[in-house]
Amino acid sequence: MPTLIYDKKGRIAYITINRPEVRNAINSEVWDGLIKAWISVRDDPEVWVAIVTGAGDKAFSAGQDLKEIAEWMMIPEEKRPPMPIPEITPMRGLEVWKPFIAAINGICTGGGLELAMACDIRIAADNARLGLAEVRQAIMPGMSGTQKLPRLVPLAKALEMLMTGDFIDAQEAYRIGLVNKVVPLAELMPTAEALANRICENGPLAVRAVKEAASRGIEMSLADGLRLEQEIAQRLSRSK
């Protein structure tokens, strides 16, 4: 069975981490699949929206496969292959202006939460538990967690989560704005699909323009962001 499943139905791409036996931990094969999936969404004109989830009902993803990392570290340094975590990933450096929806089921921690935060909209099942627990292992989030979480939730709450490693449940994630909606587990994928279809009713270039303007503009001053918005709006107005 593939460790990552990429499927298309109509205008929607489905990206599913398929390692439920290890809570969908992300190993080198999953990393390779995620990068290829993001590029496929970017380059396929028939895909307008993507939904990202984890197989089974226990985990979206428990994050990086630490067993694989431990085995890699046991190899003598002069003989080690490249680290099994790529430099450019959906969390860092791989920009795609089409919308991604994370359908979060069960455990979502470490690199799993960082992957969910790389998506634009997050819908959580009522069994979801979210956190960045790296400090409990004397390491720190290194795939965007320390940068993305404070941009999505109040800084004090982000620092509490980052420094304690504590998990929050789906309702608390909704309360602080980390997820957009909480639904029963059985309704998770139908809700994500309904939202994806709703987005597909709109002009696809307009949706991508909105994402690009918001994503790039948030890093700018208001004056620079307004100029960027005008540039992208003018570019959009020249399209078909």
Side-chain angles (χ1 to χ4, degrees), residues 158-204:
L159 288 174
E160 179 186 343
M161 291 176 64
L162 287 162
M163 291 191 289
T164 64
D166 289 346
F167 285 78
I168 59 174
D169 63 21
Q171 289 296 339
E172 176 68 0
Y174 174 73
R175 188 187 70 82
I176 64 175
L178 184 54
V179 302
N180 297 72
K181 186 178 292 188
V182 178
V183 298
L185 178 60
E187 297 176 19
L188 179 62
M189 287 307 292
T191 301
E193 289 173 334
L195 179 58
N197 284 314
R198 175 67 188 88
I199 292 171
C200 286
E201 293 174 4
N202 300 319

Side-chain angles (χ1 to χ4, degrees), residues 103-183:
I104 302 171
N105 46 317
I107 295 294
C108 180
T109 186
L113 180 52
E114 289 169 318
L115 177 63
M117 292 191 294
C119 298
D120 306 296
I121 298 172
R122 285 161 293 280
I123 300 172
D126 53 11
N127 72 335
R129 296 179 66 239
L130 304 88
L132 293 168
E134 282 86 344
V135 290
R136 296 184 180 184
Q137 297 157 326
I139 57 176
M140 65 176 281
M143 294 298 295
S144 78
T146 64
Q147 302 306 303
K148 294 278 183 66
L149 189 61
R151 286 167 164 80
L152 293 171
V153 307
L155 178 59
K157 188 63 183 181
L159 288 174
E160 179 186 343
M161 291 176 64
L162 287 162
M163 291 191 289
T164 64
D166 289 346
F167 285 78
I168 59 174
D169 63 21
Q171 289 296 339
E172 176 68 0
Y174 174 73
R175 188 187 70 82
I176 64 175
L178 184 54
V179 302
N180 297 72
K181 186 178 292 188
V182 178
V183 298

